[in-house]
Amino acid sequence: MSEIRVRFAPSPTGFVHVGSLRTALFNYLFARHHHGKLILRIEDTDQTRYVQGAVENMIKVLSWAGLDYDEGPDRGGNFGPYYQSQRLDLYHDHVQRLIDADQAYPCFCSEERLQSMREKQAAHNLPIMYDGTCRHIPTDVARKRMREESHVVRLKVPSQGETVVDDLIRGRVAFRNNLLDDQVLLKSDGYPTYHLANVVDDHLMQISHVIRGEEWLPSTPKHILLYQAFGWHTPQFAHLPLLLNPDRSKLSKRQGDVAVEDYQQKGILPEALINFVALLGWNRGDDQEIFTLEELVQSFTLKRVNKAGAVFDLHKLEWMNGYYIRHIKEERYLQIGLQWMGKLGLDSGNRQTNENILKAIRPALNTFADLPEKTAMFFADTLNYEEEALQWIRKEKSKEIFSRLLKELESYPQLTVNDFGSVMKGVQKSTGCKGQDLWMPVRAAITGMTHGPELPLVLLVFGKNKITRFIKQALNL
Ligand code: GLU
């Protein structure tokens, strides 16, 4: 098989949609799996949709997610990406070739004329499409008018037959040519349309597989006709399933967050988002859900991408993020956690203590944005007792446990975690309580809760004085 070459071709229109990240990821996985190449191409020829900073943002998101690409023009030691806005001459040359080959024609119809044409078609329930008026202008007249009048260039779409997309995911999809518009290739502002620039670039960049979202499927017959008009081979196509809300409507901003940036702000880790997004329309054929990027590269095939829409389940993403919070290296966890604490203004005044707080809450943390809630107990000076905790504190034996505990604590000027172990052993011996009966009242007294962080870790943060204070408080309840 010749080299696998794919591209991710975003239009920089603002934030990065999770669907875009999924497209980037599947292209990346496919390229890496086949030892092929991934090209990043910025499709920025629509001047009306240009958003300042969108490209930089896109590049930042890709690098945050760990998705690197392989080729691009030399930019002083670095390479890429390709920008279509810097390749306008190429598109002009190619449009001219099509005109010369009688595969495309200039169209001089004014916006008003087109508007009234569309209104008539709508009134007669006809498909809204160009009626071909300018197709029939003799070549020499058209040439002359091109120099003098504002115009677009349209493709001559055959009016009969059908155009078939052999999609690697969806199978055979046929489109009737008489329903395909004589699409615009070059706009009156001299910029190419998406269709033209996309096809010319995919050809020149020798793209072997076009992997993109299903919303582009209706454009594909137009692209195939363009390849044919140029006399080029078509690449293979794979259209990825739509992303859906849990109610199976199309995933959109109205129902919740769709931007990768939203998830970054929620404290989702890149490995969690990547893992989650990989499963939007793909599975390995077993029930494994946790994958590293390398495992995904090894396992990924287009054969296992589904046709059916993929439901975006936020709870699953949060669960997955929790999994990664607990499984990344402690050093990295602490580094990210400290950054978040800083950003959220959560500071004990001591870095070591901040780290201890992070260690204590790690088993219960699902996203870093939950830090204020999960760390609240460490920053509060008073305790809120849960009902169940009060029940433990009020048990008959508890008073004795608390008194013994206070007594034992007295002999340790500085209380370490090891000391605390010895203290509790002492209490066990003198009270005869052990296991749950010993630890639950103490936990309830120190934290006000019957579950939560491990006690030795709480101790590390609270220190002897605060613990002593809370035990005394429990004794007097
Ligand atoms: N520029 C298109 C987009 O924004 C690319 C579609 C394609 O991959 O052909 O998604």
Side-chain angles (χ1 to χ4, degrees):
M1 187 156 54
S2 55
E3 192 187 27
I4 296 287
R5 292 172 61 82
V6 294
R7 81 308 192 267
F8 173 51
S11 299
T13 52
F15 66 90
V16 181
H17 194 286
V18 281
S20 245
L21 183 67
R22 200 253 324 244
T23 302
L25 175 64
F26 283 23
N27 275 287
Y28 172 90
L29 296 176
F30 187 70
R32 295 288 170 266
H33 182 87
H34 291 287
H35 307 288
K37 294 279 189 309
L38 171 65
I39 286 156
L40 176 61
R41 183 173 78 218
I42 308 296
E43 303 211 321
D44 58 349
T45 58
D46 189 346
Q47 294 295 294
T48 59
R49 292 173 72 201
Y50 178 78
V51 175
Q52 187 97 35
V55 176
E56 292 72 16
N57 191 35
M58 169 66 72
I59 291 175
K60 248 203 259 160
V61 164
L62 291 178
S63 111
W64 173 81
L67 306 181
D68 52 349
Y69 58 95
D70 299 304
E71 277 179 23
D74 184 8
R75 300 197 183 277
N78 291 324
F79 63 81
Y82 289 101
Y83 289 84
Q84 289 189 324
S85 60
Q86 296 171 3
R87 297 163 61 82
L88 298 180
D89 287 348
L90 266 172
Y91 310 127
H92 289 165
D93 289 351
H94 281 83
V95 163
Q96 195 52 51
R97 278 200 217 174
L98 290 179
I99 296 177
D100 293 344
D102 199 25
Q103 299 281 358
Y105 62 93
C107 169
F108 306 95
C109 292
S110 67
E111 199 35 59
E112 296 75 56
R113 178 178 179 265
L114 293 173
Q115 193 49 38
S116 88
M117 172 197 82
R118 287 185 202 115
E119 280 160 16
K120 274 184 211 142
Q121 289 168 336
H124 290 90
N125 262 336
L126 292 168
I128 309 287
M129 55 197 291
Y130 184 59
D131 59 7
T133 302
C134 290
R135 249 191 193 227
H136 312 293
I137 300 175
T139 319
D140 47 337
V141 179
R143 282 236 163 102
K144 183 161 177 291
R145 286 182 68 182
M146 272 174 89
R147 284 193 293 273
E148 292 157 2
E149 289 175 45
S150 164
H151 60 275
V152 301
V153 178
R154 291 181 183 274
L155 183 71
K156 266 192 188 165
V157 172
S159 52
Q160 279 164 12
E162 55 179 25
T163 300
V164 173
V165 182
D166 265 317
D167 191 86
L168 291 170
I169 295 166
R170 318 197 61 82
R172 182 181 192 277
V173 191
F175 295 83
R176 277 165 55 199
N177 289 342
N178 63 356
L179 294 180
L180 296 176
D181 213 346
D182 274 3
Q183 58 188 292
V184 174
L185 303 176
L186 199 65
K187 293 177 279 189
S188 55
D189 63 2
Y191 278 85
T193 55
Y194 154 70
H195 304 298
L196 176 77
N198 190 272
V199 165
V200 168
D201 280 347
D202 281 347
H203 174 75
L204 295 179
M205 294 173 188
Q206 298 172 299
I207 298 304
S208 62
H209 293 74
V210 169
I211 304 171
R212 62 185 168 201
E214 189 180 309
E215 63 275 22
W216 299 102
L217 185 60
S219 296
T220 307
K222 303 180 183 180
H223 296 180
I224 291 178
L225 288 171
L226 251 176
Y227 283 101
Q228 289 168 357
F230 279 117
W232 293 338
H233 266 309
T234 49
Q236 292 203 268
F237 293 98
H239 288 91
L240 307 176
L242 290 178
L243 300 188
L244 306 176
N245 293 302
D247 68 1
R248 302 201 72 84
S249 58
K250 196 174 161 200
L251 187 69
S252 74
K253 200 148 180 68
R254 257 170 297 134
Q255 268 97 346
D257 295 324
V258 293
V260 174
E261 294 88 329
D262 293 331
Y263 295 105
Q264 290 176 322
Q265 273 160 28
K266 281 202 167 121
I268 299 290
L269 291 165
E271 41 275 81
L273 191 60
I274 283 293
N275 189 156
F276 174 76
V277 163
L279 298 178
L280 292 175
W282 174 86
N283 66 72
R284 198 172 63 178
D286 51 22
D287 45 23
Q288 181 164 331
E289 294 209 285
I290 298 291
F291 292 92
T292 62
L293 191 57
E294 294 81 66
E295 285 173 319
L296 289 171
V297 166
Q298 274 189 5
S299 313
F300 185 82
T301 60
L302 286 175
K303 280 203 190 76
R304 294 222 54 91
V305 177
N306 307 315
K307 270 194 266 200
V311 174
F312 193 96
D313 176 356
L314 189 57
H315 297 298
K316 184 165 168 182
L317 172 58
E318 287 178 358
W319 164 81
M320 221 171 232
N321 200 57
Y323 174 90
Y324 280 99
I325 282 186
R326 283 175 269 301
H327 286 81
I328 54 177
K329 290 218 170 70
E330 180 171 89
E331 203 187 323
R332 175 143 175 265
Y333 166 69
L334 292 177
Q335 186 209 342
I336 300 175
L338 288 174
Q339 274 170 13
W340 271 88
M341 285 180 77
K343 202 163 83 177
L344 295 166
L346 302 168
D347 186 10
S348 65
N350 175 307
R351 185 187 163 105
Q352 186 57 54
T353 306
N354 289 347
E355 287 191 4
N356 289 338
I357 292 174
L358 286 168
K359 286 182 195 167
I361 59 157
R362 190 174 184 185
L365 193 65
N366 276 344
T367 76
F368 286 97
D370 292 343
L371 277 172
E373 181 200 326
K374 301 288 182 199
T375 61
M377 64 173 283
F378 294 106
F379 293 106
D381 224 33
T382 52
L383 277 186
N384 285 325
Y385 297 97
E386 286 173 356
E387 189 45 46
E388 218 181 315
L390 286 173
Q391 286 170 15
W392 278 103
I393 290 171
R394 290 186 184 126
K395 280 201 185 214
E396 225 183 280
K397 270 289 199 179
S398 298
K399 269 203 164 28
E400 194 187 336
I401 293 175
F402 297 151
S403 315
R404 291 303 317 171
L405 187 54
L406 288 173
K407 196 116 231 94
E408 294 273 345
L409 283 174
E410 275 168 21
S411 38
Y412 295 91
Q414 295 283 327
L415 189 72
T416 66
V417 169
N418 279 342
D419 296 340
F420 189 64
S422 320
V423 167
M424 290 298 281
K425 270 204 191 100
V427 178
Q428 177 177 337
K429 235 186 233 148
S430 52
T431 61
C433 296
K434 56 181 185 199
Q436 187 155 266
D437 292 334
L438 170 66
W439 285 90
M440 277 308 229
V442 175
R443 163 179 292 284
I446 294 177
T447 67
M449 301 182 294
T450 51
H451 43 252
E454 281 178 46
L455 276 191
L457 294 173
V458 176
L459 167 75
L460 272 181
V461 179
F462 280 3
K464 184 183 157 185
N465 288 344
K466 201 166 179 180
I467 286 199
T468 310
R469 177 153 67 87
F470 285 158
I471 299 284
K472 278 187 183 152
Q473 187 173 311
L475 195 56
N476 293 324
L477 271 179

